Amino acid sequence: MSALALSVLLSLVSAVAYAGGAILQERVAATTPGQGYAPLRRGAWWVAIALNGLGALLHVVALAYGPLSVVQPLGALTIVFALPMAAVFVRRRAGATAWRGALMATVGLAGLLSLTSSSDSQTLSGAERLMLGLITGGGVLALMVTAHAVHRHPVVRSVLLACAAGAAFGIASVFTKTVAVDWDRNVALVEQLPSLAVIAVLAAAGVLLSQASYRGAGLAAPLSTVTVVNPVVAAAVGLTLFGESFRHGATGTVLALGCGVVAACGLILLTTERIARETSTVTVAEGRPAAHGGPSERVAASEPASGAADGSGARTSVDALPAVPTQQPASPHRRVRHSGRRERIKS
């Protein structure tokens, strides 16, 4: 087996491992709503963490055997693998709109990554690492605060947390690359400890935020958001700090922007599809009493029967409510005339 074929195989297995971990995380979030970030007592959650770790390890090994332009786009297949796996293993079928959104996000991301051209191995200075760490920390905290502010909209909250998780994973990948370059340049391990600490903090934050993003939003929207935001953030840092560029000059740049728009439209489609589903579910839930009892029955239960007012003892049926004035027995009309002290009553 050639090195390229091995890298492709490892990338596909890595995507399957990531998909399995995401499915387990979503199931844990659905069954433990009170533990949003770290359901440590759930064995399935630890299995999901192990699958994510396996996916990351296989991804790194695939990068060692194959080019970045091949391995990174194949990582976007996580979304495509997750939807049928969820339908088979946990009976969670995705609708046509979710499939369209997932495929658009995958195609757009794969095209964007395939157009990115890597440069020679570069690293970041201490000031650049500090600035990048502070900006990332501030951005992640801002997304978390915004997500908690919109907690009444579960899908919007989940997408914001997924964006924070993707950003944390992406910047962790950037710091991992700098550490790898420093390692090749025989930089002392003591000097790399701050970067290793940042990698550990960002990776842990990404895992916890991604777990919280699955609560109340299903599988497709948060997973697609994390899968797209992660490499896009890393690519943005590569373009600005590592001197990377797009292939084919201006044409490649325009194509890359188009791919980014396609990926963004896919995420928007997934988000609006989930919001529409939740809205229809809430509408049905609110209309359930009317389906069982109906408004006329609630009126009949809350108002006294018309027969009780005239002493006949007869109770008017619900269906006869509109005809109550015509069906009531005719009561005698009384006229009272006063003539001095006498009263004459005519029927």
Side-chain angles (χ1 to χ4, degrees):
M1 181 181 293
S2 64
L4 179 60
L6 181 59
S7 67
V8 171
L9 179 61
L10 291 175
S11 298
L12 294 177
V13 178
S14 172
V16 172
Y18 277 130
I23 292 171
L24 287 178
Q25 283 185 285
E26 191 274 333
R27 294 305 301 163
V28 170
T31 54
T32 56
Q35 300 176 354
Y37 288 93
L40 301 178
R41 297 183 179 181
R42 295 294 302 273
W45 186 73
W46 290 106
V47 175
I49 298 301
L51 286 174
N52 286 325
L54 176 62
L57 178 62
L58 292 175
H59 184 75
V60 172
V61 177
L63 287 174
Y65 284 97
L68 181 66
S69 60
V70 174
V71 175
Q72 284 291 90
L74 289 176
L77 292 176
T78 300
I79 313 170
V80 180
F81 289 152
L83 295 183
M85 287 173 62
V88 172
F89 293 109
V90 296
R91 310 282 184 174
R92 183 67 62 87
R93 292 179 175 85
T97 305
W99 269 106
R100 285 195 297 270
L103 290 176
M104 287 177 63
T106 303
V107 171
L109 177 60
L112 179 63
L113 295 177
S114 63
L115 290 170
T116 304
S117 176
S118 60
S119 61
D120 297 333
S121 297
Q122 297 183 14
T123 186
L124 298 176
S125 64
E128 289 175 333
R129 298 185 193 192
L130 178 61
M131 178 189 67
L132 185 59
L134 292 176
I135 292 175
T136 304
V140 169
L141 287 177
L143 288 171
M144 290 178 62
V145 171
T146 307
H148 285 285
V150 296
H151 64 278
R152 295 184 179 181
H153 305 281
V155 179
V156 178
R157 167 192 166 276
S158 297
V159 169
L160 290 173
L161 290 176
C163 287
F169 284 135
I171 302 301
S173 299
V174 172
F175 275 91
T176 301
K177 181 177 181 179
T178 59
V179 169
V181 173
D182 291 342
W183 183 268
D184 291 337
R185 296 180 178 179
N186 296 321
V187 178
L189 181 61
V190 177
E191 298 180 10
Q192 300 185 34
L193 288 179
S195 296
L196 292 174
V198 172
I199 294 172
V201 171
L202 290 178
V207 170
L208 298 179
L209 289 169
S210 63
Q211 176 63 54
S213 68
Y214 289 110
R215 184 162 56 91
L219 176 66
L223 177 59
S224 301
T225 304
V226 173
T227 306
V228 171
V229 172
N230 178 358
V232 167
V233 168
V237 174
L239 292 171
T240 55
L241 297 181
F242 287 108
E244 297 179 352
S245 60
F246 293 113
R247 292 185 176 91
H248 313 300
T251 303
T253 302
V254 173
L255 291 175
L257 292 176
C259 291
V261 172
V262 171
C265 290
L267 294 180
I268 294 173
L269 192 62
L270 285 167
T271 304
T272 53
E273 185 269 343
R274 187 69 190 186
I275 292 175
R277 183 185 303 179
E278 286 200 350
T279 303
S280 62
T281 303
V282 171
T283 302
V284 171
E286 290 179 349
R288 190 170 299 165
H292 289 286
S296 60
E297 289 187 14
R298 291 197 299 269
V299 171
S302 61
E303 295 182 356
S306 60
D310 56 354
S312 61
R315 184 177 296 273
T316 307
S317 63
V318 174
D319 296 333
L321 278 177
V324 166
T326 60
Q327 292 184 357
Q328 286 182 345
S331 58
H333 300 283
R334 298 185 177 182
R335 297 180 182 177
V336 179
R337 289 186 179 181
H338 296 276
S339 177
R341 295 183 179 179
R342 296 183 58 188
E343 295 182 357
R344 181 183 302 175
I345 301 176
K346 292 187 178 181
S347 59

